[in-house]
Amino acid sequence: MSDPVPYGAFQDSTDQTAASTTTAYAVTFNTTDFSKGVSVVSNSQITVKSAGVYNFQFSIQLANTDSQIQDVDIWFRKNGTDIANSNSKFSINEKHGSVNGHLIAALNFYVQLAANDYVQLMWATTNTGVTIEYLAAQTSPTRPATPSAIMTVAKVDESSTSDVYASNQIQGQCTI
C-alpha cells in the first residue's frame, strides 16, 4: 500500500568538496528531519515508495575561497541518469580579503517517479575552491547552524496513488 501523502525533509551538516573540476558529485544528506514514504539511501539517493509526480526543492550553501568569481552547475539525476533540462548555473562571488564569497542556490523541480525510483542532486564546479559549506551555530548575535544542503520532497499528484475511483460518497460509505 502506498503512503497517501508522501513527503521528506533532509539536510546535511558537513562541508562537501570537489576534488576535480571535471567530475560530477552527488549532494549528500546525513539528517532526516521528516519522512513518510520518502527516504535517503546511500546518503544521496532520495527514494520514493509510491509512484507519482514529486516536487523536489533544494537550497545549497555555496562558498568560494578563490579570488575570482566561480560557477557551479546543479542538476537532477533519476535512477542514475541525468534528467534533461534540469541543470542550473550559479555564479559565486569571489573572496574579498579574508571573507569567502557566498551564495544560496535554491529552486524546485517536478519529477515523475515510479515506486522505488530515486533522484539525486548533482553538482560540478569550475574551481575546487568552491564548497558546499556547513556553518556551525554562531554568537554575537546568536543564530542557528546553517546546513550545507537542504532538500524537501512532496508528492503533488494524488491521482497517481491508486487507480481506484470513489463516487457517490456519503458519510461512512462510497461506491468504488
Side-chain angles (χ1 to χ4, degrees):
M1 181 174 162
S2 65
D3 291 300
V5 186
Y7 59 85
F10 314 99
Q11 61 177 290
D12 191 69
S13 60
T14 64
D15 290 341
Q16 299 182 43
T17 61
S20 171
T21 59
T22 59
T23 301
Y25 297 93
V27 176
T28 59
F29 302 93
N30 65 6
T31 302
T32 297
D33 295 314
F34 304 98
S35 179
K36 182 177 181 182
V38 181
S39 60
V40 177
V41 176
S42 301
N43 294 325
S44 69
Q45 299 173 355
I46 310 293
T47 305
V48 301
K49 285 177 33 179
S50 62
V53 175
Y54 288 81
N55 183 13
F56 287 79
Q57 297 182 329
F58 72 83
S59 67
I60 305 291
Q61 177 67 63
L62 296 165
N64 180 9
T65 62
D66 192 58
S67 61
Q68 301 294 314
I69 294 173
Q70 298 298 331
D71 292 332
V72 171
D73 288 280
I74 300 175
W75 67 97
F76 291 90
R77 278 190 181 161
K78 176 181 168 181
N79 299 328
T81 301
D82 293 341
I83 298 176
N85 302 310
S86 69
N87 187 56
S88 293
K89 184 177 289 293
F90 299 92
S91 296
I92 303 95
N93 287 336
E94 68 275 14
K95 182 177 187 171
H96 293 281
S98 63
V99 178
N100 293 339
H102 287 95
L103 176 84
I104 291 284
L107 64 86
N108 68 298
F109 195 77
Y110 280 36
V111 183
Q112 175 75 51
L113 298 172
N116 301 311
D117 278 353
Y118 70 89
V119 170
Q120 290 175 293
L121 190 61
M122 305 300 297
W123 72 292
T125 180
T126 56
N127 185 287
T128 59
V130 174
T131 61
I132 299 176
E133 183 180 51
Y134 171 80
L135 298 166
Q138 299 172 55
T139 59
S140 298
T142 300
R143 49 204 183 273
T146 304
S148 58
I150 297 171
M151 174 75 78
T152 61
V153 182
K155 189 172 187 179
V156 295
D157 176 13
E158 289 306 313
S159 65
S160 63
T161 59
S162 172
D163 291 332
V164 175
Y165 174 75
S167 65
N168 296 332
Q169 299 178 29
I170 59 173
Q171 187 171 359
Q173 311 175 34
C174 72
T175 302
I176 299 179

